[in-house]
Each structure stands twice: as C-alpha cells, then as structure tokens.
Short mmCIF file of all heavy atoms in Angstrom, two decimals:
data_model
loop_
_atom_site.label_atom_id
_atom_site.label_comp_id
_atom_site.label_asym_id
_atom_site.label_seq_id
_atom_site.Cartn_x
_atom_site.Cartn_y
_atom_site.Cartn_z
N LEU M 1 -12.40 1.95 3.75
CA LEU M 1 -11.28 2.63 4.57
C LEU M 1 -11.28 4.12 4.30
O LEU M 1 -11.06 4.88 5.24
CB LEU M 1 -9.99 1.96 4.13
CG LEU M 1 -9.77 0.55 4.50
CD1 LEU M 1 -8.48 -0.01 3.99
CD2 LEU M 1 -9.90 0.30 6.04
N ASN M 2 -11.60 4.56 3.12
CA ASN M 2 -11.69 5.94 2.89
C ASN M 2 -12.84 6.65 3.67
O ASN M 2 -12.72 7.71 4.20
CB ASN M 2 -11.95 6.10 1.31
CG ASN M 2 -10.74 6.46 0.58
OD1 ASN M 2 -9.51 6.69 1.19
ND2 ASN M 2 -10.70 6.27 -0.69
N GLN M 3 -13.90 5.78 3.84
CA GLN M 3 -15.02 6.27 4.68
C GLN M 3 -14.63 6.44 6.04
O GLN M 3 -15.11 7.45 6.77
CB GLN M 3 -16.23 5.35 4.46
CG GLN M 3 -16.92 5.40 3.10
CD GLN M 3 -17.85 4.32 2.95
OE1 GLN M 3 -18.26 3.64 3.93
NE2 GLN M 3 -18.27 3.97 1.72
N LEU M 4 -13.88 5.57 6.57
CA LEU M 4 -13.34 5.65 7.93
C LEU M 4 -12.59 6.93 8.15
O LEU M 4 -12.62 7.68 9.10
CB LEU M 4 -12.55 4.49 8.39
CG LEU M 4 -13.32 3.11 8.57
CD1 LEU M 4 -12.37 2.04 8.86
CD2 LEU M 4 -14.48 3.24 9.58
N ALA M 5 -11.63 7.13 7.14
CA ALA M 5 -10.81 8.40 7.20
C ALA M 5 -11.62 9.62 7.15
O ALA M 5 -11.34 10.62 7.76
CB ALA M 5 -9.80 8.33 6.06
N ALA M 6 -12.73 9.70 6.37
CA ALA M 6 -13.48 10.76 6.18
C ALA M 6 -14.20 10.99 7.51
O ALA M 6 -14.64 12.26 7.80
CB ALA M 6 -14.60 10.57 5.01
N ARG M 7 -14.40 10.03 8.25
CA ARG M 7 -15.21 10.19 9.61
C ARG M 7 -14.13 10.54 10.78
O ARG M 7 -14.42 10.74 11.80
CB ARG M 7 -15.74 8.77 10.06
CG ARG M 7 -17.09 8.56 9.40
CD ARG M 7 -17.69 7.20 10.02
NE ARG M 7 -17.65 7.40 11.55
CZ ARG M 7 -17.69 6.39 12.30
NH1 ARG M 7 -17.80 5.06 11.89
NH2 ARG M 7 -17.69 6.57 13.69
N HIS M 8 -12.96 10.71 10.27
CA HIS M 8 -11.84 11.14 11.19
C HIS M 8 -11.54 10.02 12.28
O HIS M 8 -11.21 10.34 13.39
CB HIS M 8 -12.10 12.53 11.87
CG HIS M 8 -12.24 13.58 10.92
ND1 HIS M 8 -11.15 14.00 10.18
CD2 HIS M 8 -13.35 14.25 10.55
CE1 HIS M 8 -11.71 14.95 9.25
NE2 HIS M 8 -12.92 15.20 9.60
N VAL M 9 -11.81 8.74 11.97
CA VAL M 9 -11.38 7.66 12.85
C VAL M 9 -9.91 7.50 12.63
O VAL M 9 -9.32 7.42 11.47
CB VAL M 9 -12.04 6.33 12.40
CG1 VAL M 9 -11.47 5.19 13.15
CG2 VAL M 9 -13.55 6.47 12.54
N PRO M 10 -9.10 7.69 13.72
CA PRO M 10 -7.55 7.52 13.59
C PRO M 10 -7.20 6.13 13.34
O PRO M 10 -7.21 5.20 14.20
CB PRO M 10 -7.15 8.02 14.93
CG PRO M 10 -8.33 7.82 15.92
CD PRO M 10 -9.56 7.93 15.09
N ILE M 11 -6.89 5.88 12.10
CA ILE M 11 -6.57 4.49 11.68
C ILE M 11 -5.47 4.60 10.69
O ILE M 11 -5.30 5.43 9.93
CB ILE M 11 -7.73 3.76 10.96
CG1 ILE M 11 -7.48 2.26 10.56
CG2 ILE M 11 -8.32 4.63 9.75
CD1 ILE M 11 -8.71 1.57 10.20
N VAL M 12 -4.44 3.61 10.92
CA VAL M 12 -3.39 3.43 9.99
C VAL M 12 -3.39 1.97 9.46
O VAL M 12 -3.65 1.04 10.25
CB VAL M 12 -2.05 3.71 10.66
CG1 VAL M 12 -0.84 3.37 9.71
CG2 VAL M 12 -1.96 5.20 11.02
N VAL M 13 -3.11 1.76 8.21
CA VAL M 13 -3.29 0.53 7.60
C VAL M 13 -1.99 -0.04 7.03
O VAL M 13 -1.34 0.73 6.47
CB VAL M 13 -4.33 0.61 6.49
CG1 VAL M 13 -4.57 -0.76 5.67
CG2 VAL M 13 -5.72 1.18 6.99
N TRP M 14 -1.81 -1.34 7.33
CA TRP M 14 -0.62 -1.97 6.60
C TRP M 14 -1.03 -2.45 5.29
O TRP M 14 -1.96 -3.20 5.18
CB TRP M 14 -0.20 -3.25 7.46
CG TRP M 14 0.87 -4.02 6.67
CD1 TRP M 14 0.62 -5.06 5.94
CD2 TRP M 14 2.38 -3.77 6.55
NE1 TRP M 14 1.86 -5.52 5.34
CE2 TRP M 14 2.79 -4.68 5.78
CE3 TRP M 14 3.14 -2.74 7.13
CZ2 TRP M 14 4.20 -4.75 5.36
CZ3 TRP M 14 4.40 -2.75 6.70
CH2 TRP M 14 5.06 -3.68 5.94
N GLY M 15 -0.60 -1.81 4.21
CA GLY M 15 -1.06 -2.13 2.95
C GLY M 15 -0.38 -1.29 1.79
O GLY M 15 0.64 -0.62 2.06
N ALA M 16 -0.99 -1.19 0.69
CA ALA M 16 -0.49 -0.47 -0.51
C ALA M 16 -1.03 0.81 -0.57
O ALA M 16 -2.09 1.19 -0.21
CB ALA M 16 -0.78 -1.48 -1.75
N GLN M 17 -0.15 1.79 -1.19
CA GLN M 17 -0.66 3.06 -1.51
C GLN M 17 -1.46 3.00 -2.72
O GLN M 17 -0.95 2.46 -3.71
CB GLN M 17 0.43 4.08 -1.67
CG GLN M 17 1.28 4.23 -0.29
CD GLN M 17 2.35 5.27 -0.40
OE1 GLN M 17 2.38 6.18 -1.25
NE2 GLN M 17 3.50 4.95 0.25
N LEU M 18 -2.65 3.51 -2.77
CA LEU M 18 -3.62 3.41 -3.92
C LEU M 18 -4.15 4.77 -4.36
O LEU M 18 -4.02 5.78 -3.51
CB LEU M 18 -4.69 2.64 -3.51
CG LEU M 18 -4.52 1.12 -3.04
CD1 LEU M 18 -5.82 0.55 -2.55
CD2 LEU M 18 -3.91 0.36 -4.21
N PRO M 19 -4.59 5.06 -5.52
CA PRO M 19 -5.21 6.26 -5.97
C PRO M 19 -6.35 6.71 -5.14
O PRO M 19 -7.08 5.95 -4.64
CB PRO M 19 -5.47 5.92 -7.43
CG PRO M 19 -4.65 4.83 -7.91
CD PRO M 19 -4.57 4.04 -6.64
N GLN M 20 -6.51 8.00 -4.99
CA GLN M 20 -7.56 8.58 -4.26
C GLN M 20 -7.63 8.10 -2.82
O GLN M 20 -8.72 7.79 -2.34
CB GLN M 20 -8.92 8.42 -4.98
CG GLN M 20 -9.11 9.27 -6.26
CD GLN M 20 -8.38 8.63 -7.38
OE1 GLN M 20 -8.68 7.51 -7.72
NE2 GLN M 20 -7.62 9.34 -8.12
N GLN M 21 -6.54 7.90 -2.23
CA GLN M 21 -6.53 7.28 -0.91
C GLN M 21 -6.64 8.41 0.34
O GLN M 21 -5.81 9.22 0.26
CB GLN M 21 -5.22 6.50 -0.70
CG GLN M 21 -5.11 5.87 0.75
CD GLN M 21 -3.90 4.83 0.63
OE1 GLN M 21 -3.90 3.86 -0.03
NE2 GLN M 21 -2.91 5.12 1.43
N LEU M 22 -7.52 8.23 1.08
CA LEU M 22 -7.72 9.26 2.15
C LEU M 22 -7.12 8.82 3.45
O LEU M 22 -6.76 9.69 4.40
CB LEU M 22 -9.24 9.62 2.41
CG LEU M 22 -10.03 10.04 1.27
CD1 LEU M 22 -11.55 10.29 1.71
CD2 LEU M 22 -9.42 11.41 0.69
N TYR M 23 -6.87 7.56 3.63
CA TYR M 23 -6.34 6.98 4.92
C TYR M 23 -4.89 6.82 4.76
O TYR M 23 -4.32 6.88 3.71
CB TYR M 23 -7.08 5.62 5.26
CG TYR M 23 -6.99 4.59 4.10
CD1 TYR M 23 -5.89 3.70 4.12
CD2 TYR M 23 -7.92 4.56 3.22
CE1 TYR M 23 -5.89 2.75 3.07
CE2 TYR M 23 -7.81 3.71 2.14
CZ TYR M 23 -6.81 2.75 2.12
OH TYR M 23 -6.76 1.83 1.12
N VAL M 24 -4.25 6.68 5.96
CA VAL M 24 -2.72 6.50 6.01
C VAL M 24 -2.30 5.12 6.01
O VAL M 24 -2.94 4.23 6.58
CB VAL M 24 -2.23 7.08 7.28
CG1 VAL M 24 -0.68 7.01 7.37
CG2 VAL M 24 -2.62 8.54 7.48
N THR M 25 -1.37 4.82 5.01
CA THR M 25 -0.82 3.42 4.89
C THR M 25 0.59 3.38 5.22
O THR M 25 1.42 4.36 5.06
CB THR M 25 -1.07 2.79 3.51
OG1 THR M 25 -0.50 3.72 2.51
CG2 THR M 25 -2.48 2.59 3.19
N VAL M 26 1.09 2.26 5.78
CA VAL M 26 2.47 1.90 5.85
C VAL M 26 2.61 0.54 5.23
O VAL M 26 1.88 -0.33 5.54
CB VAL M 26 2.96 1.78 7.27
CG1 VAL M 26 4.35 1.28 7.42
CG2 VAL M 26 2.87 3.23 8.04
N GLY M 27 3.50 0.46 4.25
CA GLY M 27 3.66 -0.90 3.70
C GLY M 27 5.08 -0.98 2.99
O GLY M 27 5.87 -0.13 2.98
N SER M 28 5.34 -2.20 2.50
CA SER M 28 6.60 -2.41 1.80
C SER M 28 6.40 -2.05 0.34
O SER M 28 5.26 -2.02 -0.24
CB SER M 28 7.16 -3.83 1.84
OG SER M 28 6.29 -4.77 1.28
N ASP M 29 7.51 -1.86 -0.31
CA ASP M 29 7.51 -1.60 -1.84
C ASP M 29 7.28 -2.97 -2.63
O ASP M 29 8.22 -3.61 -3.07
CB ASP M 29 8.82 -1.00 -2.31
CG ASP M 29 8.80 -0.46 -3.65
OD1 ASP M 29 7.87 -0.67 -4.44
OD2 ASP M 29 9.74 0.29 -3.99
N ASN M 30 6.01 -3.17 -2.88
CA ASN M 30 5.58 -4.48 -3.29
C ASN M 30 5.89 -4.50 -4.86
O ASN M 30 6.18 -5.63 -5.34
CB ASN M 30 4.04 -4.58 -3.24
CG ASN M 30 3.66 -4.83 -1.76
OD1 ASN M 30 3.90 -5.91 -1.20
ND2 ASN M 30 2.97 -3.87 -1.13
N VAL M 31 5.88 -3.37 -5.63
CA VAL M 31 6.14 -3.37 -7.01
C VAL M 31 7.70 -3.77 -7.24
O VAL M 31 7.98 -4.70 -7.95
CB VAL M 31 5.82 -2.04 -7.67
CG1 VAL M 31 6.22 -2.16 -9.16
CG2 VAL M 31 4.40 -1.67 -7.57
N THR M 32 8.47 -3.11 -6.50
CA THR M 32 9.89 -3.36 -6.52
C THR M 32 10.16 -4.84 -6.14
O THR M 32 11.04 -5.55 -6.71
CB THR M 32 10.72 -2.35 -5.72
OG1 THR M 32 10.49 -1.02 -6.27
CG2 THR M 32 12.25 -2.73 -5.88
N GLY M 33 9.53 -5.29 -5.03
CA GLY M 33 9.69 -6.54 -4.48
C GLY M 33 9.36 -7.57 -5.60
O GLY M 33 10.12 -8.60 -5.75
N GLY M 34 8.19 -7.48 -6.09
CA GLY M 34 7.79 -8.38 -7.30
C GLY M 34 8.79 -8.41 -8.43
O GLY M 34 9.06 -9.45 -9.09
N GLN M 35 9.33 -7.21 -8.74
CA GLN M 35 10.21 -7.10 -9.86
C GLN M 35 11.55 -7.79 -9.59
O GLN M 35 12.18 -8.47 -10.22
CB GLN M 35 10.45 -5.60 -10.10
CG GLN M 35 11.10 -5.25 -11.39
CD GLN M 35 10.88 -3.80 -11.72
OE1 GLN M 35 10.35 -2.98 -11.17
NE2 GLN M 35 11.54 -3.52 -12.94
N LYS M 36 11.98 -7.60 -8.23
CA LYS M 36 13.30 -8.18 -7.80
C LYS M 36 13.14 -9.70 -7.85
O LYS M 36 14.07 -10.53 -8.39
CB LYS M 36 13.64 -7.74 -6.36
CG LYS M 36 14.14 -6.35 -6.29
CD LYS M 36 14.46 -6.14 -4.72
CE LYS M 36 14.96 -4.62 -4.59
NZ LYS M 36 15.30 -4.37 -3.16
N ALA M 37 12.02 -10.34 -7.36
CA ALA M 37 11.88 -11.73 -7.35
C ALA M 37 11.92 -12.29 -8.80
O ALA M 37 12.52 -13.28 -9.11
CB ALA M 37 10.53 -12.10 -6.75
N THR M 38 11.13 -11.69 -9.73
CA THR M 38 11.08 -12.10 -11.04
C THR M 38 12.43 -11.92 -11.71
O THR M 38 12.97 -12.76 -12.62
CB THR M 38 9.93 -11.47 -11.82
OG1 THR M 38 8.70 -11.48 -11.04
CG2 THR M 38 9.63 -12.04 -13.13
N GLU M 39 13.01 -10.79 -11.54
CA GLU M 39 14.24 -10.47 -12.26
C GLU M 39 15.42 -11.56 -11.78
O GLU M 39 16.17 -12.04 -12.65
CB GLU M 39 14.75 -9.15 -11.81
CG GLU M 39 16.08 -8.65 -12.36
CD GLU M 39 16.04 -8.29 -13.89
OE1 GLU M 39 14.95 -7.87 -14.34
OE2 GLU M 39 17.08 -8.44 -14.52
N HIS M 40 15.31 -11.99 -10.60
CA HIS M 40 16.32 -12.97 -10.05
C HIS M 40 16.08 -14.25 -10.95
O HIS M 40 17.10 -14.89 -11.35
CB HIS M 40 16.15 -13.14 -8.55
CG HIS M 40 16.75 -14.40 -8.11
ND1 HIS M 40 18.13 -14.71 -8.09
CD2 HIS M 40 16.18 -15.53 -7.59
CE1 HIS M 40 18.41 -15.81 -7.61
NE2 HIS M 40 17.26 -16.38 -7.25
N LEU M 41 14.83 -14.63 -11.04
CA LEU M 41 14.61 -15.87 -11.79
C LEU M 41 14.95 -15.79 -13.21
O LEU M 41 15.55 -16.76 -13.80
CB LEU M 41 13.00 -16.18 -11.62
CG LEU M 41 12.67 -16.69 -10.18
CD1 LEU M 41 11.17 -16.79 -10.09
CD2 LEU M 41 13.33 -18.05 -9.84
N LEU M 42 14.81 -14.70 -13.82
CA LEU M 42 15.13 -14.50 -15.29
C LEU M 42 16.57 -14.56 -15.43
O LEU M 42 17.07 -15.16 -16.33
CB LEU M 42 14.48 -13.20 -15.74
CG LEU M 42 12.97 -13.14 -15.96
CD1 LEU M 42 12.53 -11.71 -16.12
CD2 LEU M 42 12.61 -13.95 -17.11
N GLN M 43 17.31 -13.93 -14.49
CA GLN M 43 18.77 -13.89 -14.55
C GLN M 43 19.40 -15.20 -14.33
O GLN M 43 20.53 -15.53 -14.69
CB GLN M 43 19.32 -12.90 -13.58
CG GLN M 43 19.08 -11.43 -13.90
CD GLN M 43 19.60 -10.43 -13.03
OE1 GLN M 43 19.96 -10.71 -11.83
NE2 GLN M 43 19.64 -9.13 -13.43
#
C-alpha cells in the first residue's frame, strides 16, 4: 500500500493507522474498542 501511495495512485484504505504510513486510512479506534470490550468483561 505504501508503494501505491508512492506511485501517486489515489487510494484510501479502511484500516488501522500504522508507523511509516504513506497512504491515507480511515478506520475506527481499534485500541480503545478492544480496551472497552475487555474492561466491560472485567468489571
């Protein structure tokens, strides 16, 4: 996906934000989501 961005292919990805990311992502807050789910079970 980074290679596609480097080629200037207009692409947007549904996914997670990652280190050294050149392409554009839209995604949900997965870390907080996982934390909420587990916290609920613990509580």
Side-chain angles (χ1 to χ4, degrees):
L1 296 176
N2 268 343
Q3 290 169 11
L4 291 181
R7 282 188 50 200
H8 302 292
V9 174
I11 183 169
V12 172
V13 180
W14 172 262
Q17 294 182 35
L18 302 174
Q20 289 80 51
Q21 181 171 296
L22 301 179
Y23 55 94
V24 178
T25 53
V26 173
S28 71
D29 190 344
N30 292 290
V31 176
T32 300
Q35 197 165 355
K36 286 179 179 178
T38 311
E39 182 73 27
H40 165 67
L41 292 168
L42 291 167
Q43 289 178 347

